[in-house]
Amino acid sequence: MANLIFPYASPLITTSVTILLLALLCCTTRTIGIQFDPITSSTSSPPSSFVQTKNAQFVLNGAPFLFNGFNSYWMMTVAAQVDQRHKVTEVFDQARAAGLTVCRTWAFSDGTGDQALQITPGLYSEAVFQGLDFVISEAKKRGIRLILTLTNNYKDFGGRQQYVAWARTLGVPGVGGDDDFYTHPVLKWYYKNHIARVLTRINTITGTAYKDDPTIMAWELINEPRCEIDSSGDTITGWVQEMGSYLKLIDNKHLLAVGMEGFYGDSTPDRKQFNPGYQVGTDFITSNLLESIDFATIHAYPDAWLAGQSRYEQMTFLQKWMSSHLTDSRTILRKPLVFAEFGLSNKATGYANLGRDLFLNAVYGTIFGSARYGGTIGGGLVWQLLADGMDSYNDGYEIVLSQCPSTSFLIGLQSRRMSALQHVLAGA
């Protein structure tokens, strides 16, 4: 898809070029020898088996499992308000219509207020937990698998900063900066308790414990871990080893990922050239090599990570970023890879919908091409889907499928390509 690298288009040419792009895409899909079947009701049956891994691939009932998916981090807190649950249902319905089969969302909200799941260490809001119950039950009805993230690197929805603040408020000795989250025994105990509470939760709608529900595809330990005091990645790797082993003692049925962006660390100095000019205290290789970690993830926001650089330079970075991680997941990690977050902000100078569509098409083309030729990639999760009337959640990367026909077309096309390829590989 290198030939689809363009600078942002003028709004005056967006419509005509988009039509040309979509026509080109339709023609392209007919040349690869795969026939697209319409999405049938069988694909939306309630999940009855757990997604697993085998030979660096995702499998379901022994057959290859490929997917196209999305992020909607807000679902639990919105669903905690019963009169707002229709927004969750709306997004799941639109996602299902577009063939999206995996959703990544938060299973945490730390702090005070009516949106907090964990109000203080060990004290939980039943109303917010019931919101998560609803999210899982709605996903199950539509055959959508969930990747549930257990805390945040950032202060949004509490995250590790809130854990540190709790410890300080309670007078826990030896608590300093936010990075103590990874090393202080009390803070680690707080987090382990959260793991246990979420995994052993009995869904009030389905009657199934989360740890026994195949609707959940996987857990993520933390969204985008970073550590300022140790750029090598060793501190986070030690934390992942401890927390991953603990989680697997409670739940050995579900897959587990760290939740990393993909930054390389000291174990592979030759790979640091693929970082966007800096490190964040993680090591993509060492953390993902741990036995408890079943698959790796990467994120990419070249418009933010390489702000000020040209569109061409940003897309060149993206191609190298994806290529290096696809190679490493196959040759070093020997585990599946998920492109768990990617997007293009509408707040960028000169933004047009065409630019986002070209960006998504480049990502989707690489994912599909890798999967087609035996790569480890399982699928991608675009950031982020919203329902109509959720403007307060706009972050620049939002997509409302009902309002974005060309983007919706591209997302649906990728869903059909991945679904068709899955059927071909299953019959091979």
Side-chain angles (χ1 to χ4, degrees), residues 117-120 122-126 129 190 193-194 197-198:
L117 173 63
Q118 187 175 191
I119 302 166
T120 59
L123 179 63
Y124 286 77
S125 166
E126 177 60 22
F129 244 141
Y190 288 167
N193 181 69
H194 179 65
R197 287 294 295 270
V198 173

Side-chain angles (χ1 to χ4, degrees), residues 5-80:
I5 298 176
F6 293 101
Y8 292 118
S10 164
L12 296 176
I13 65 171
T14 297
T15 302
S16 59
V17 177
T18 299
I19 292 173
L20 178 61
L21 168 65
L22 299 186
L24 174 63
L25 290 173
C26 290
C27 293
T28 302
T29 59
R30 286 196 290 269
T31 67
I32 62 177
I34 295 177
Q35 299 296 318
F36 297 148
D37 296 322
I39 298 172
T40 62
S41 59
S42 63
T43 61
S44 59
S45 301
S48 58
S49 300
F50 292 88
V51 177
Q52 299 175 314
T53 63
K54 182 180 180 181
N55 299 326
Q57 308 280 346
F58 290 112
V59 294
L60 181 61
N61 296 321
F65 177 71
L66 300 175
F67 59 86
N68 191 27
F70 64 102
N71 284 272
S72 286
Y73 70 89
W74 46 267
M75 285 191 162
M76 177 185 69
T77 53
V78 168

Side-chain angles (χ1 to χ4, degrees), residues 47 56 69 73 96 99-100 103 119 125 136 144 179 205 209 213 229 233 265 291 324 330 342 355 359 362 377 416:
Y73 70 89
R96 183 65 258 179
L100 298 168
C103 170
I119 302 166
S125 166
I136 296 171
I144 294 175
D179 288 333
I205 299 173
D213 193 339
I229 63 171
E291 184 178 358
S324 66
R330 176 174 55 84
F342 55 91
F359 172 83
I377 192 78
R416 292 181 180 276

